[in-house]
Amino acid sequence: YEPKDATAHLKPEVLEPLTELRERLAGLPQWTAETIHAAVNGLAEARGQPPDAAELAGLLSLPEPHVTRALRLLEGRGRLFRAGEYWFDAAWLEGVKLKLAALSKQSGGFTPADARTLLSSTRKWTLPLLEALDKAGFSKRVGERRLVR
């Protein structure tokens, strides 16, 4: 990563754990600053359609256990949100939660199809995300609709 770009584009609370992650992963023989940067950016840019750990490992040409360890570290720092086998960028997800809350308030809940449209995604990613949000207490499934708590 480029420190100048990171300072310009990342909030301080995001920059610190990413810097810590970079330092921890630098000790692993196959990790480089470029692969860490690619992993973090790839998940942020994927928005509602992130790769799973195996796909990300393939894209980065790294062993899946190393990638999974890094993803868990970022999840523990609140930078990623795990939904089944997918890892969503937490900053992107906060915006999504605001949109889902507004939709729920306006329409008396929302369906998976409503969420899929809002996320510009597919059922492959939308359903695990909605289930994880239910489990996290953000929403509650009532029949085919979900209500924001």
Side-chain angles (χ1 to χ4, degrees):
Y1 84 102
E2 294 294 325
K4 179 181 171 189
D5 292 340
T7 302
H9 299 290
L10 294 175
K11 295 179 181 177
E13 61 269 14
V14 173
L15 183 58
E16 180 183 328
L18 289 178
T19 301
E20 180 183 325
L21 174 65
R22 178 178 178 261
E23 291 169 1
R24 284 183 172 190
L25 295 177
L28 298 173
Q30 296 176 326
W31 282 95
T32 64
E34 292 77 23
T35 56
I36 295 167
H37 183 71
V40 172
N41 277 348
L43 291 171
E45 291 171 3
R47 300 182 175 265
Q49 300 181 9
D52 62 23
E55 292 169 323
L56 190 56
L59 291 170
L60 298 172
S61 301
L62 294 168
E64 186 177 343
H66 291 208
V67 172
T68 300
R69 190 176 318 134
L71 294 172
R72 286 185 179 146
L73 176 66
L74 288 168
E75 178 188 26
R77 291 294 203 159
R79 304 306 174 235
L80 296 179
F81 180 80
R82 186 175 187 177
E85 61 187 278
Y86 302 106
W87 303 80
F88 292 85
D89 179 71
W92 170 82
L93 184 60
E94 288 305 311
V96 166
K97 287 166 63 176
L98 291 174
K99 292 176 185 177
L100 289 172
L103 179 62
S104 181
K105 184 177 180 181
Q106 177 186 15
S107 305
F110 59 90
T111 65
D114 296 331
R116 184 185 69 231
T117 300
L118 184 74
L119 301 176
S120 300
S121 192
T122 68
R123 290 175 57 86
K124 174 182 176 180
W125 290 281
T126 303
L127 291 179
L129 179 59
L130 293 178
E131 289 168 2
L133 289 172
D134 292 346
K135 187 176 179 180
F138 171 76
S139 53
K140 178 181 179 181
R141 184 176 175 179
V142 179
E144 285 299 311
R145 301 184 75 72
R146 283 184 163 80
L147 304 173
V148 173
R149 297 179 187 215

